[in-house]
Amino acid sequence: MITGLERISQLANEHPDRKLQTLMHLVNTRTLKEVHDRQDKNKAYGVDNVTKSEYEEELEKNLAGLVAKMKQYSYRPQPVRRTYIPKEGSNDKMRPLGIPAYEDKLVQGAMADIMTAIYEPKFYSFSYGFRANRDCHKALSALKSELWNGTNWVVDADIKGFFDNVDHEWLMKFLEHDIADKNLLRYVTRFLKAGIMEEGKYFDTDSGVPQGGLISPVLANIYLHYTIDTWFAKVIKPRSKGKAAMVRYADDIVFCFEREEEAREFYQALRVRLAKFKLELSEEKSKIIKFGISAGDDTGKFDFLGFTHLIGRSREGKPCVKRITSQKKLKAKRQKVKQWLWENMHTPVNLLVEKLNRKLQGHYNYYGIIGNFDAMAGFREYVLDRLKAVLGRRGSGYITHEKFKRILQYNPVVKPRIVHRV
């Protein structure tokens, strides 16, 4: 027997133009419990001050009450609690982080599962991010393939404040194009309008998707699917005389063109297209770049998913696409590990290196792609230098090279290795 979600996905795949109805019955005690089981016990709580551990003390009763409220349409999402965390790569800028109430997490998660089942068959193959088996490294691999084959020009597009500027009216029109269940649409609207609580003050949310919400990623992908992906696939690509391709990871997008004039025409068309849906290009971060294997020596470079892409030379001296850790990300990583080492200065050496190795391994697991070994090795050398300085401060203020070498002999710091053959 197939599950309800599998049946929805099957219908969406077999009848792409058919609107799906009677979906909210899939938000029930069973599916809500499945979402509950997926939650991290260590996550911060929202305005309700309820944690996972507290909620599951009377789980069956709480879930039954939540379902009853939803059937009576008396359930209303609570405002998202907004806090701020340091923005990676910046010393003074902070990034907003939204934390929904616990029951809101459960309902959002169940609704996100339903919408994922509906839209996965509709999303394009060049769309990555917040989708099963379509992670960063698959996006990087797809982009390299496009850059390798017939690309001479790249449009590096950055949408200004995308998640905060999603237009609610347009989003609901997109959902209504595929979904006929008014109850599900009603609850989506309630989540969009739930508001924000910050330091005891309430703020309306007239645009954007719920910060930190489990429903936000799929809503963002749906919005970009109709504003950019479908337009590019059905309008731009068929009209192009040369190659035209794109790779999108969430709101991070790279467009590849064979012809310069078509790249420049597209850039202007993209500005108009985004404006129609209340979005805007960041003129400082967006650019048109000469780039490609056959584009000649006068090529530029651009960043995508933490890697700087540039044209280099292989061991045989042939041009190739190289990807190295971006300077912005590298600077942020250095600052982060430096701060962590000073904060943990008095941790016993064996435990300190053990925890440090976990952080380094996480770095290698992401940045360990072919061509990036030197950048990882350089990062490790920086970490060793900072570790030596921290250990020296625990004693006389200085540690000799020989003593540090003996410490590393008994507490080896993990070395970089290539993890992904992308």
Side-chain angles (χ1 to χ4, degrees), residues 171-183:
L171 177 58
M172 294 312 299
K173 285 180 180 180
F174 297 150
L175 293 172
E176 289 164 4
H177 182 267
D178 306 294
I179 298 171
D181 188 326
K182 292 184 178 180
N183 294 328

Side-chain angles (χ1 to χ4, degrees), residues 354-406:
E354 183 182 327
K355 292 179 180 179
L356 180 62
N357 279 339
R358 287 200 290 269
K359 292 182 178 295
L360 278 171
Q361 192 58 59
H363 182 84
Y364 303 154
N365 286 345
Y366 185 78
Y367 289 100
I369 68 173
I370 294 172
N372 197 39
F373 185 87
D374 289 347
M376 290 192 296
F379 180 66
R380 180 178 181 270
E381 288 300 316
Y382 174 84
V383 170
L384 289 175
D385 182 68
R386 293 298 89 208
L387 176 62
K388 183 173 181 288
V390 165
L391 294 179
R393 287 294 296 272
R394 292 176 13 157
S396 61
Y398 175 75
I399 186 172
T400 65
H401 178 72
E402 289 73 21
K403 184 176 180 180
F404 185 57
K405 191 175 180 180
R406 286 197 301 272

Side-chain angles (χ1 to χ4, degrees), residues 242-293:
K243 172 186 177 159
M246 67 174 280
V247 175
R248 177 174 70 79
Y249 187 93
D251 62 328
D252 202 350
I253 319 171
V254 173
F255 301 93
C256 302
F257 290 91
E258 180 182 351
R259 300 186 173 200
E260 179 182 2
E261 65 275 14
E262 291 185 343
R264 298 193 180 282
E265 288 172 6
F266 169 77
Y267 186 86
Q268 299 304 321
L270 180 61
R271 293 171 64 185
V272 175
R273 177 73 178 180
L274 290 176
K276 177 180 179 180
F277 298 102
K278 310 297 178 64
L279 298 174
E280 183 182 356
L281 275 179
S282 172
E283 298 294 345
E284 308 84 47
K285 298 179 180 179
S286 302
K287 52 187 177 292
I288 303 171
I289 309 152
K290 186 178 182 182
F291 193 101
I293 298 297

Side-chain angles (χ1 to χ4, degrees), residues 126-130 134-137 139 221 247-254 304-305:
F126 51 71
S127 163
Y128 297 82
F130 308 124
R134 302 186 70 78
D135 60 15
C136 292
H137 294 100
N221 266 336
V247 175
R248 177 174 70 79
Y249 187 93
D251 62 328
D252 202 350
I253 319 171
V254 173
F304 182 67
L305 300 181

Side-chain angles (χ1 to χ4, degrees), residues 87-313:
K87 189 173 182 180
E88 195 172 77
S90 174
N91 292 324
D92 53 352
K93 291 184 179 180
M94 303 293 283
R95 182 170 67 87
L97 181 68
I99 308 170
Y102 192 77
E103 284 195 335
D104 294 345
K105 289 183 183 179
L106 301 186
V107 177
Q108 283 192 35
M111 290 173 60
D113 289 343
I114 293 170
M115 286 189 281
T116 297
I118 294 171
Y119 284 97
E120 266 302 311
K122 300 178 186 294
F123 289 153
Y124 289 93
S125 60
F126 51 71
S127 163
Y128 297 82
F130 308 124
R131 298 178 62 190
N133 301 314
R134 302 186 70 78
D135 60 15
C136 292
H137 294 100
K138 286 188 169 61
L140 288 164
S141 182
L143 178 59
K144 183 174 183 181
S145 178
E146 296 295 351
L147 295 172
W148 185 269
N149 296 301
T151 295
N152 294 322
W153 293 86
V154 162
V155 176
D156 183 14
D158 184 278
I159 302 174
K160 186 183 293 185
F162 168 72
F163 285 91
D164 293 329
N165 292 304
V166 168
D167 185 75
H168 291 173
E169 186 177 346
W170 273 114
L171 177 58
M172 294 312 299
K173 285 180 180 180
F174 297 150
L175 293 172
E176 289 164 4
H177 182 267
D178 306 294
I179 298 171
D181 188 326
K182 292 184 178 180
N183 294 328
L184 186 141
L185 296 173
R186 177 186 299 173
Y187 278 120
V188 172
T189 300
R190 288 184 181 182
F191 276 115
L192 293 174
K193 303 296 184 184
I196 294 168
M197 288 293 291
E198 183 178 342
E199 296 181 348
K201 296 181 181 179
Y202 173 82
F203 298 91
D204 285 324
T205 45
D206 299 322
S207 62
V209 290
Q211 296 183 77
L214 301 183
I215 203 172
S216 301
V218 67
L219 290 179
N221 266 336
I222 292 167
Y223 202 84
L224 290 168
H225 171 75
Y226 282 112
T227 57
I228 296 178
D229 298 0
T230 302
W231 170 66
F232 188 87
K234 295 188 175 182
V235 178
I236 300 300
K237 196 175 176 70
R239 290 181 182 176
S240 300
K241 295 179 180 178
K243 172 186 177 159
M246 67 174 280
V247 175
R248 177 174 70 79
Y249 187 93
D251 62 328
D252 202 350
I253 319 171
V254 173
F255 301 93
C256 302
F257 290 91
E258 180 182 351
R259 300 186 173 200
E260 179 182 2
E261 65 275 14
E262 291 185 343
R264 298 193 180 282
E265 288 172 6
F266 169 77
Y267 186 86
Q268 299 304 321
L270 180 61
R271 293 171 64 185
V272 175
R273 177 73 178 180
L274 290 176
K276 177 180 179 180
F277 298 102
K278 310 297 178 64
L279 298 174
E280 183 182 356
L281 275 179
S282 172
E283 298 294 345
E284 308 84 47
K285 298 179 180 179
S286 302
K287 52 187 177 292
I288 303 171
I289 309 152
K290 186 178 182 182
F291 193 101
I293 298 297
S294 58
D297 294 329
D298 185 24
T299 59
K301 57 185 179 180
F302 65 93
D303 289 351
F304 182 67
L305 300 181
F307 290 89
T308 297
H309 291 65
L310 60 142
I311 298 298
R313 295 283 172 177

Side-chain angles (χ1 to χ4, degrees), residues 35-63:
V35 178
H36 166 79
D37 292 339
R38 298 200 298 258
Q39 300 309 301
D40 186 348
K41 285 189 176 183
N42 299 318
K43 288 288 186 180
Y45 49 76
V47 296
D48 58 347
N49 294 327
V50 175
T51 64
K52 178 180 180 179
S53 299
E54 292 170 341
Y55 194 82
E56 66 186 7
E57 288 176 2
E58 296 185 53
L59 184 59
E60 291 184 8
K61 178 182 176 182
N62 288 333
L63 292 179

